[in-house]
Amino acid sequence: SQPVTMNAFELISKSQGLNLSSLFEK
Amino acid sequence: MGCMCSSGIKHTPGYEDPALLAKETPFTVSEVESLYELFNKLSSSIIDDGLIHKEEFQLALFRNRNKSNLFADRIFDLFDVKRNGVIECGEFVRSLGVFHPNAPVEDKIEFAFRLYDLRQTGFIEREELKEMVIALLHESDLVLSEDVIEVIVDKTFSDADIKGDGKIDKEEWKQFVEKNPSLIKNMTLPYLKDITLAFPSFVLTSELED
């Protein structure tokens, strides 16, 4: 995939800070 | 310490009856109790005061109490409904309710909008979008030139900003997400459906953790 075709919000949504599943890891 | 002590008598600030929370969220009473157990664990990881401080939130997310992150900050601020610098257990459960697989999609879209509306102006502005892209790049190994970043932001903005007034309002955001549903994929945590399996009981869980 070419960077210029990326959706900026799609990119942002990959942030580790938005991955709340980490809260449930023991 | 924590949301609910084993005796069930002493409660910390922000304690709310699990039955009432269950009525207002997609969770069952036992799921709320399991979330209380998770809350107790998170809220005692650094300061055992029954409240989740930002460092405890960062520790849980990144395994590093000092790792600040724009998006984690925004999540923390949105969970901290009372804006008193800490997340109380009721706030924790209500906020996580939005991430439940059965929560209304509208709630997820609304939450994501507030998340990305960094300066809380009621709009997602171009500068905010660019700031978030740059923040994302800083935390990842992805390196993009300034020109490429501009192209990505411009393209995304022109796709979402239907009215062309230089800002994305809630209605435009809603339409954009409907066209790109993967944008709110991270607003759903399948894990929340199995929360009672992870935290089956207050006593049992504390024993397992020892």
Side-chain angles (χ1 to χ4, degrees), chain B residues 20-90:
Chain B
L20 289 177
L21 274 174
K23 278 186 184 170
E24 297 173 24
T25 64
F27 300 114
T28 63
V29 174
S30 59
E31 286 169 341
V32 171
E33 289 174 344
S34 294
L35 282 174
Y36 275 11
E37 181 63 23
L38 170 63
F39 180 88
N40 289 345
K41 179 186 155 195
L42 300 180
S43 65
S44 61
S45 64
I46 298 175
I47 307 166
D48 192 5
D49 61 355
L51 300 163
I52 298 179
H53 296 254
K54 188 171 278 186
E55 283 190 340
E56 291 173 323
F57 193 67
Q58 290 170 177
L59 181 63
L61 277 182
F62 307 119
R63 302 283 177 266
N64 180 343
R65 62 192 282 179
N66 297 317
K67 184 174 177 178
S68 64
N69 176 287
L70 174 69
F71 304 102
D73 282 354
R74 286 297 298 144
I75 291 272
F76 186 91
D77 289 346
L78 289 177
F79 275 42
D80 175 18
V81 177
K82 290 184 187 169
R83 304 307 310 268
N84 57 352
V86 289
I87 301 172
E88 300 176 358
C89 59

Side-chain angles (χ1 to χ4, degrees), chain B residues 72-180:
Chain B
D73 282 354
R74 286 297 298 144
I75 291 272
F76 186 91
D77 289 346
L78 289 177
F79 275 42
D80 175 18
V81 177
K82 290 184 187 169
R83 304 307 310 268
N84 57 352
V86 289
I87 301 172
E88 300 176 358
C89 59
E91 293 174 330
F92 184 70
V93 174
R94 283 173 203 280
S95 299
L96 277 181
V98 175
F99 291 80
H100 193 282
N102 296 345
V105 174
E106 292 74 22
D107 292 357
K108 295 174 188 290
I109 293 173
E110 163 82 15
F111 191 95
F113 182 84
R114 290 168 59 213
L115 185 67
Y116 297 146
D117 177 14
L118 297 182
R119 287 178 258 290
Q120 297 149 70
T121 57
F123 304 96
I124 301 171
E125 294 167 43
R126 191 187 179 286
E127 277 311 301
E128 289 173 324
L129 184 58
K130 186 177 175 186
E131 185 179 336
M132 290 188 281
V133 169
I134 291 171
L136 183 278
L137 294 175
H138 275 307
E139 72 172 82
S140 69
D141 295 329
L142 196 56
V143 178
L144 298 177
S145 69
E146 175 72 19
D147 287 349
V148 172
I149 293 171
E150 287 287 336
V151 169
I152 291 171
V153 172
D154 277 345
K155 174 72 166 62
T156 303
F157 220 84
S158 64
D159 288 347
D161 179 21
I162 300 164
K163 294 173 194 155
D165 58 0
K167 52 195 181 184
I168 299 167
D169 62 28
K170 269 188 194 173
E171 188 51 39
E172 288 169 331
W173 172 247
K174 192 179 170 201
Q175 289 181 37
F176 193 58
V177 173
E178 282 167 356
K179 277 187 218 158
N180 304 276

Side-chain angles (χ1 to χ4, degrees), chain B residues 175-192:
Chain B
Q175 289 181 37
F176 193 58
V177 173
E178 282 167 356
K179 277 187 218 158
N180 304 276
S182 64
L183 295 187
I184 56 162
K185 199 178 165 195
N186 58 356
M187 291 290 126
T188 295
L189 295 168
Y191 202 97
L192 288 173

